[in-house]
Amino acid sequence: MIRLLRAPLRPVTYSRWLHLCVPVLLLALWMFINPRAPWMPLLIVIPFGFVPWVRLAEGLQAQFLLTPQDRDGGDGLISSAPSARWADRWRTVLWLEIRLVVAGAAMFATVWLPVQALELVTIASGHPLGADLALPFAPPRWAAALLVPVPLLLLVLIVVLLGELITTIARRLLGPSAAERLTALEARTEQLLERTRIARELHDSIGHALTVAVVQAGAARTAGDPAFTDRALSAIEETGRAALEDLERVLLVLRESAQPPSQRPTLLEADRLLESARASGAPVDAELTGPLEKLPGPVTREGYRILQEALTNVLRHCGPVPVRVRVAMAAGRLELEVTNPMPERPAVTSGGGSGLRGMRERAALLGGQAETGLHEGGWRVRARLPLERIP
């Protein structure tokens, strides 16, 4: 009852009413052509239901008029795509037939009930009526005055019920097919994977920069050497600038800017990571062999991030200890290994941390593998990335 009382104040009531009235234009046009066959529009619309773009037009109209409150949010219950299969075409035909029938009932109520209310007003005012009455009987004047609101309330009730009915039918017959649901699910999955990748990029890039800055600042504070402090500040500045470039690159993706984002760093820029680690006080023994410039894009980019995270973990958990880096192209794969001795009180545990998990995920996405853990009294990160992705 409360919903019915609120219905005249809801915009969706009138938008659904308009949706119910639109097919009546076809009925009215046909009545001028052949009023003796009012059922002919039911046959006329059948061929149109097999046209793929009719389903698109009907879906957009239903979204705009039947569910305007959900149109911006995209509830996905009413499709706005052309018919892709014969099942979609038959559902469109059935929708057009039902819509004509429901529209006829709505238009009959829209015309007939206000006429009855007008006749009741005429009777209540004492004016005579003609022979053709819409009312089933002519009540007394006092009764007519009391019954005037009844046809109008009945009209609102019919419009609300028919609006709910046609919306439910639209969601059933114009709703997405199984193929469309699968496509939408795949798009959603891709979106979530992209968000995960962006989060991983931020973790690796910003985490590395902050780790280097913390180590450099701590070393400069305890060294008491102006020259060392100057080198430390320079390293912090360079690392911070590189992190800002990575951050801007990610923000461009998040903003969906029209400008294409700059190329993500590759192993050809590994010297930047190695020099950053050396500037933090860690002796780095690096050996990069093979034509790294010929590496596939995904392999060289993910290899850079794995190397970055491995060096970040060394500085974060072990401090400026000696680091051995080996990057080489073997038969059909890229091999990357980072080893370092453990401090007296290691803060690293085997298999823990989101950074270690991120390295394994990066390798797995390319069909490779990454191993992290204790090795010969130290800590080792070892990754093998195939040059051709394994299906």
Side-chain angles (χ1 to χ4, degrees):
M1 179 61 68
I2 297 177
R3 186 177 181 180
L4 179 61
L5 294 176
R6 292 179 178 176
L9 303 178
R10 299 176 61 206
V12 69
T13 300
Y14 301 97
S15 65
R16 289 176 177 177
W17 197 350
L18 176 60
H19 185 273
L20 292 170
C21 294
V22 168
V24 179
L25 296 175
L26 176 61
L27 296 174
L29 180 62
W30 179 255
M31 292 303 291
F32 279 106
I33 299 175
N34 188 2
R36 296 182 179 181
W39 45 268
M40 276 298 295
L42 294 176
L43 299 179
I44 294 175
V45 300
I46 291 179
F48 292 96
F50 294 104
V51 179
W53 294 101
V54 171
R55 182 167 179 260
L56 169 63
E58 291 293 324
L60 291 174
Q61 187 181 148
Q63 288 180 5
F64 188 81
L65 295 177
L66 297 181
T67 58
Q69 69 279 7
D70 299 328
R71 188 166 56 91
D72 294 335
D75 62 355
L77 298 179
I78 298 179
S79 176
S80 57
S83 300
R85 301 181 179 182
W86 279 103
D88 297 334
R89 295 182 175 92
W90 282 110
R91 289 165 64 195
T92 306
V93 170
L94 182 59
W95 159 255
L96 293 176
E97 297 290 324
I98 293 176
R99 187 181 179 189
L100 277 175
V101 174
V102 177
M107 182 52 60
F108 178 81
T110 300
V111 174
W112 198 251
L113 292 175
V115 170
Q116 290 185 351
L118 182 60
E119 291 182 350
L120 289 173
V121 171
T122 303
I123 295 174
S125 61
H127 292 80
L129 292 175
D132 298 332
L133 289 177
L135 292 169
F137 63 94
R141 292 181 59 183
W142 64 269
L146 295 177
L147 293 175
V148 168
V150 174
L152 300 179
L153 292 177
L154 185 60
L155 175 60
V156 173
L157 176 62
I158 291 176
V159 168
V160 171
L161 294 180
L162 290 181
E164 293 286 348
L165 175 63
I166 200 65
T167 302
T168 302
I169 295 174
R171 286 171 172 163
R172 178 66 177 175
L173 297 180
L174 297 179
S177 62
E180 291 172 340
R181 291 192 183 96
L182 180 60
T183 300
L185 181 60
E186 290 176 347
R188 177 61 177 169
T189 302
E190 289 294 330
Q191 184 183 29
L192 293 177
L193 289 175
E194 179 66 13
R195 290 182 179 180
T196 302
R197 187 191 67 78
I198 291 174
R200 191 185 298 124
E201 292 285 332
L202 285 175
H203 171 271
D204 293 349
S205 178
I206 307 303
H208 175 78
L210 291 177
T211 299
V212 171
V214 169
V215 172
Q216 291 281 8
R221 180 173 58 84
T222 58
D225 183 358
F228 181 84
T229 301
D230 184 66
R231 290 194 301 271
L233 292 175
S234 298
I236 293 174
E237 179 184 7
E238 180 182 353
T239 305
R241 185 179 294 108
L244 286 175
E245 292 177 359
D246 287 342
L247 180 60
E248 181 64 23
R249 184 183 300 113
V250 173
L251 290 179
L252 285 175
V253 175
L254 291 175
R255 294 168 184 162
E256 298 182 349
S257 172
Q259 296 179 342
S262 57
Q263 183 69 27
R264 291 165 56 194
T266 67
L267 282 175
L268 294 178
E269 305 172 59
D271 288 342
R272 186 175 70 177
L273 296 177
L274 301 176
E275 291 302 323
S276 176
R278 292 188 181 104
S280 300
V284 179
D285 175 18
E287 182 178 335
L288 286 74
T289 59
L292 300 181
E293 68 279 358
K294 295 183 179 180
L295 286 172
V299 175
T300 186
R301 289 192 293 266
E302 298 304 328
Y304 177 93
R305 291 304 186 189
I306 292 175
L307 176 60
Q308 183 182 54
E309 181 60 28
L311 293 175
T312 300
N313 285 339
V314 173
L315 296 175
R316 178 183 300 156
H317 300 295
C318 301
V321 298
V323 183
R324 182 175 179 268
V325 176
R326 294 292 183 268
V327 179
M329 290 180 61
R333 67 178 184 271
L334 172 72
E335 293 191 352
L336 187 152
E337 184 176 290
V338 179
T339 58
N340 62 275
M342 298 292 292
E344 296 182 358
R345 295 182 179 181
V348 186
T349 57
S350 178
S354 60
L356 302 181
R357 182 174 62 251
M359 286 188 284
R360 291 190 288 267
E361 290 175 353
R362 288 181 183 276
L365 286 174
L366 298 176
Q369 59 182 355
E371 303 171 356
T372 60
L374 298 174
H375 177 73
E376 297 181 355
W379 184 265
R380 182 179 71 173
V381 173
R382 186 177 184 183
R384 297 184 181 91
L385 307 179
L387 302 185
E388 295 183 1
R389 184 169 180 174
I390 300 176

